[in-house]
Structures are given as C-alpha cells and as structure tokens.
Amino acid sequence: MELRILRYFLAVAQEKNITRAAEKLLVSQPTLSKQLSDFEKELGTKLFIRGHRQITLTSEGVYLKSKAEEIISLADKTSLNIKNDQIISGDLTIGAGESIGMKRIIDIMGNINQDYPDVKIHLISGMADEMETLLNQGNLDFAVFMGERDLNEYNYLQMPETDEWGLIMRKDSLLADNDFISPKDLLGKPLLISAQEISKSRFKNWWGNLGSKMNIMGTFTLVFNAELLVENGNAYMMSFNHLIDKTHQDKLTFRPLNPPMIEPITVVWKKNTVLSKVAQLFVKRLQASLHNEDL
C-alpha cells in the first residue's frame, strides 16, 4: 500500500469525481482510473460506487478514508520534521481537553512559533481517552490529561495548576446564593455531565448514597455548547472552574463543590520514542517554566 496510491484514493474520495481528482493530482484520467482499479484488486474489495455523475464510497471505502487520512498526516508530519537538520521547524501537535491549565502550554507554543516561524502548531481538543489513543498512534506529540490516570507507559510533567470541579448555572438560580454546592443541593436538578466522567463514574464517591437520585438529563463533550443549554435555563452543568465563555459571563456563574474535587493536570508523551527538535524544545521550555515557578 503506497502513500502515492493513498493520496490518489483520498483525492477521488474528496472530489467525488475522477476527472476533477485527476486534474488536482496532475495525472491523466485513464492513469488514475487504472491505479485505483489495481488498488481495489490488491485489497480484494470495492472502494467506490461509480455513479453516472459522481463517485461515492462503499463502507470499506469509508473505513479506508479515515485510516488513509491518519497515515498521510503522520507521513507528512514525519517528513516535515526531518527535512532540515539545521533549524527548528516542523509541526508541534498537542491534544487536550478544556482546562485553565492549558494557558501555560499555549503560551509556550505561541512563544516557540514566534521564535521559530517555520514551526506550525496544532491544538486538538477532545476527551482524555481520545487523546491517549491519538498519542499512542503517533498523531500527537503530547497529550494533556486532566485528572488521575495511569502514567506508567509515559514520560510526563506535572503542572502546578489544578482543575476544580463545580457547578455552572444561571446567575438568577437559587443555588447561585450558595458559596458551595453539596450533593443534596443537586437533588431534583437537571444535570449535564461530561460523557467521559459519566463513563468513569467520576462523581460516584462524591454523591455517595444520593447518586441514584440524581437527575442526569444528558452529557456533553464541548463546554461551550453545553453552556448554551444552561443559559437557556434548562440545565445545570458539572464542569471545571474558569471555563465560562466570555459570551456567557453576564448570565452564568460557577460554584465549587463541597467536599471539593480537585484534579491534577499532566503533560505526557510516549516513552522509548525520539522526539523531534521542536518537541524537544517544547519539553525544555515547559521544564524551565516549572522551574521558574518553584523559585
């Protein structure tokens, strides 16, 4: 399976037309058609449904498209990172969830880009399980975990920042008069909770024997979208502090939990792997920022 053929396949999948794809790739239409036909024979399956006006993907084609995009992205990134051994260039890719702890990391990434304009920085947002998968696949240089996780398979740096769990609600809510939110305060309240935290039963111990009485109306992955529902007055949201978007600050407020729930923030990268020069620079500058914090 050659990278060139995968690029041909992706071009046709994106254009949905052999002629347009051939023009984009600067190859002849017959050549492209034959290459793709040979590719299907090599794989022993049909990748395309060739219609009168456009081409669509079979289920096997859809699967290959997702994998081909990952393969091509990793190949391009690797090539870019080793092209020039004399200067710092290439891509720096970090995956993380939403957290106040990202400010330090983003500041370092921004400073690296300012000092080395050839460096391209990429931020990928998602839940910790997704970020760990991408890291292990080689699609991330670093992942940022919020909360306790098994770190035995990784190199890591612990951030001084922490995340504090609490409740986001409308400012005119009765619970907004509380300094803290206890489990009994949430009885009967429609709650939105991160899909990841639901799957890991993150609040099981905090709720105690009241857990079965909680009204969990739904889950979310993006805080901003969930805040729209809270602002609408239809829900309360369990979330980290400092994540209320500026567009919602006039209507929403945060109250910490009691007993408190505090999460560590950790930057991790794969063991037994050679970091690119820009990734090494990121680690060096992150370590320096933590050292300065201790002084």
Side-chain angles (χ1 to χ4, degrees):
M1 189 180 295
E2 301 178 21
L3 290 177
R4 175 176 57 85
I5 302 301
L6 287 180
R7 294 184 194 278
Y8 285 1
F9 166 75
L10 286 176
V12 175
Q14 291 161 3
E15 296 296 331
K16 299 180 180 180
N17 182 280
I18 288 283
T19 301
R20 289 198 300 269
E23 292 173 353
K24 179 179 178 180
L25 295 165
L26 302 178
V27 299
S28 69
Q29 181 178 334
T31 297
L32 181 57
S33 295
K34 184 177 186 309
Q35 293 279 355
L36 293 176
S37 179
D38 290 344
F39 189 37
E40 287 179 314
K41 290 177 183 178
E42 176 189 339
L43 296 177
T45 188
K46 287 183 63 67
L47 300 174
F48 301 103
I49 299 172
R50 294 164 172 80
H52 179 64
R53 294 190 175 180
Q54 73 173 25
I55 291 175
T56 56
L57 295 177
T58 63
S59 58
E60 292 81 5
V62 171
Y63 173 77
L64 178 62
K65 181 175 181 290
S66 67
K67 296 303 178 184
E69 288 170 341
E70 293 178 6
I71 293 169
I72 294 298
S73 174
L74 183 57
D76 288 345
K77 177 182 172 182
T78 302
S79 176
L80 186 62
N81 284 342
I82 65 175
K83 272 184 177 178
N84 195 324
D85 192 44
Q86 303 303 316
I87 63 172
I88 293 178
S89 62
D91 290 280
L92 178 61
T93 307
I94 297 180
E98 296 167 294
S99 164
I100 186 63
M102 287 301 296
K103 185 180 185 307
R104 175 190 301 269
I105 293 161
I106 290 173
D107 285 346
I108 292 172
M109 294 177 76
N111 290 335
I112 288 175
N113 179 254
Q114 185 174 6
D115 294 339
Y116 302 94
D118 289 333
V119 171
K120 306 302 179 187
I121 59 177
H122 308 279
L123 286 170
I124 298 178
S125 299
M127 295 184 292
D129 290 345
E130 297 172 323
M131 298 303 101
E132 186 168 11
T133 297
L134 290 175
L135 180 66
N136 291 334
Q137 290 174 342
N139 293 309
L140 298 179
D141 296 306
F142 303 93
V144 185
F145 294 152
M146 291 78 180
E148 299 285 352
R149 293 183 75 87
D150 182 3
L151 301 175
N152 288 329
E153 300 299 318
Y154 303 103
N155 295 315
Y156 63 91
L157 288 171
Q158 193 80 56
M159 300 296 98
E161 297 85 1
T162 57
D163 281 313
E164 180 182 31
W165 282 103
L167 192 71
I168 293 179
M169 70 198 90
R170 286 178 58 95
K171 288 184 176 179
D172 57 8
S173 166
L174 292 178
L175 291 183
D177 294 331
N178 296 10
D179 292 328
F180 302 94
I181 301 298
S182 68
K184 67 179 182 180
D185 293 327
L186 300 181
L187 292 175
K189 302 294 189 297
L191 299 177
L192 288 171
I193 298 179
S194 161
Q196 177 174 280
E197 307 312 325
I198 282 287
S199 68
K200 295 184 179 299
S201 302
R202 182 65 184 87
F203 299 100
K204 181 179 179 180
N205 292 334
W206 185 79
W207 282 326
N209 59 2
L210 296 180
S212 62
K213 300 179 181 179
M214 293 297 165
N215 176 22
I216 301 174
M217 65 169 290
T219 62
F220 65 90
T221 55
L222 293 176
V223 169
F224 181 87
N225 290 341
E227 285 178 357
L228 293 174
L229 194 56
V230 175
E231 185 177 316
N232 186 264
N234 291 326
Y236 296 78
M237 179 170 61
M238 305 285 279
S239 181
F240 290 150
N241 198 3
H242 307 296
L243 295 186
I244 297 178
D245 189 87
K246 290 183 179 180
T247 58
H248 302 141
Q249 286 179 350
D250 290 341
K251 294 184 178 180
L252 302 183
T253 189
F254 174 92
R255 294 293 181 271
L257 302 183
N258 185 35
M261 288 180 61
I262 307 297
E263 304 280 17
I265 302 172
T266 313
V267 178
V268 307
W269 62 100
K270 291 171 66 176
K271 283 184 177 179
N272 304 317
T273 187
V274 179
L275 295 177
S276 67
K277 283 192 172 183
V278 64
Q280 293 176 42
L281 178 63
F282 173 79
V283 171
K284 182 178 179 180
R285 291 197 176 186
L286 181 57
Q287 289 173 325
S289 78
L290 300 179
H291 176 71
N292 292 337
E293 194 86 14
D294 294 335
L295 296 179

